[in-house]
Amino acid sequence: MLDLRTQYLGLELKNPLVASPSPISQRFDGIHRLEDAGASAIVLFSLFEEQIRFENESAAYFEFTSSNTFAESLSFFPKMDEFEAGPEEYLEFIYRASETSEIPIIASLNATSPEGWAEYALRMEQAGAKAIELNAYYIPSFGQSSEDVEQRYVDMVRAVRRSVQIPIAVKLPPFFSSVGDIAYRLIEAGANGLVLFNRLYQPDIDLEKQEVFPTIELSRPSEIRLPLLWIANLYGHVNGSLAGTTGVHRGTDAVKYILAGANVAMTASALLKNGPGYLATLLSEFTEWGDAHGYHSVDQMRGSMSKKHVLDPSAFDRANYVRVLQSYMPKFSAQ
Ligand SMILES: Cc1cc2nc3c(=O)[nH]c(=O)nc-3n(C[C@H](O)[C@H](O)[C@H](O)COP(=O)(O)O)c2cc1C
């Protein structure tokens, strides 16, 4: 029987299936149902920097609404009562979730600047979080260079590293000129692992109302390929854990992440679609595949299809890109 144990961010996990942040982890019954279904760890929904700064600066906000740029930006941000929980409730939630679960509870902080909020990372640690995932969702504005943006990420990790002893993971967007370089720099700055990749919010336009409307779609299984490519590339090159997030809808998708080199596979959309109990199905499909293919442990599986270990490393390279473009046969016949 496949030994499912894995290490992630220095934590010993009973298997490689981790629940990614989603509304399921906003409620205790969601947390407990995930745990009952076999999740080896749960990353909570994110606490946003604006929520913290709103609480810290609300007095200033009311005094300086017209002159303070942060206050101005807040006027576009959802009102506090639109959030499920403010910072204090979030800390309380971590505490209660950690007290009532056997598995590690990982807090998630969505921050965009390395400023004062970093002390909240410490408070998350004190509340019982076993690790912190920095959900680095950030859309750079014009005038910011790619160096500025990357430095911001690095400074953010440094600020949190100074605050806490527990492990830190950074959930990255895929849009860097050099993913390998930023991955390396974030680990150097003190991150213990990387979560690849954040799915960025992409609003649509309602043509009838001529309005921009917010939309969030659950992932499709084919979206696994971008993070898979980078996990396969990074495996063995960065001194930290790797987590694959996006596109895990079957246990075999999680298998792909582990073979590429991930320590864990995370899932949210599949659980939102099928309910938290579906994690048990993912886990049994994962185990079935490993057993059927003669593996005795997840450690043995890890990285066996990474760029470092695969028989033909060019499969992950430009050479294969050219090959695949040239071999594509259109379905219609040329006149
Ligand atoms: C409704 C919804 C809410 C989410 N909330 C968060 C969040 O609070 N923080 C976060 O880092 N990711 C959040 N995510 C992203 C997921 O954790 C996950 O990284 C992403 O959906 C890709 O994984 P999947 O293909 O398994 O869904 C959310 C996703 C969905 C669909």
Side-chain angles (χ1 to χ4, degrees), residues 113-127:
S113 69
E115 287 130 31
W117 53 265
E119 72 176 65
Y120 265 85
L122 174 62
R123 295 187 63 192
M124 287 173 163
E125 177 175 35
Q126 290 164 342

Side-chain angles (χ1 to χ4, degrees), residues 18-26 43-48 90 108-110 133-137 171 195-199 216-221 223-224 244-249 257 266-272:
V18 171
S20 203
S22 83
I24 298 175
S25 61
Q26 276 175 340
V43 189
L44 298 182
F45 61 98
S46 300
L47 177 66
F48 293 87
Y90 192 95
S108 168
L109 191 53
N110 174 278
E133 186 172 290
L134 287 175
N135 164 14
Y137 180 96
K171 188 171 182 179
V195 183
L196 284 80
F197 284 116
N198 220 344
R199 275 175 95 227
I216 186 159
E217 276 176 17
L218 300 184
S219 68
R220 293 182 306 279
E223 289 178 61
I224 194 174
T245 178
T246 301
V248 174
H249 289 259
Y257 272 133
M266 296 187 171
T267 176
S269 291
L271 303 178
L272 287 168

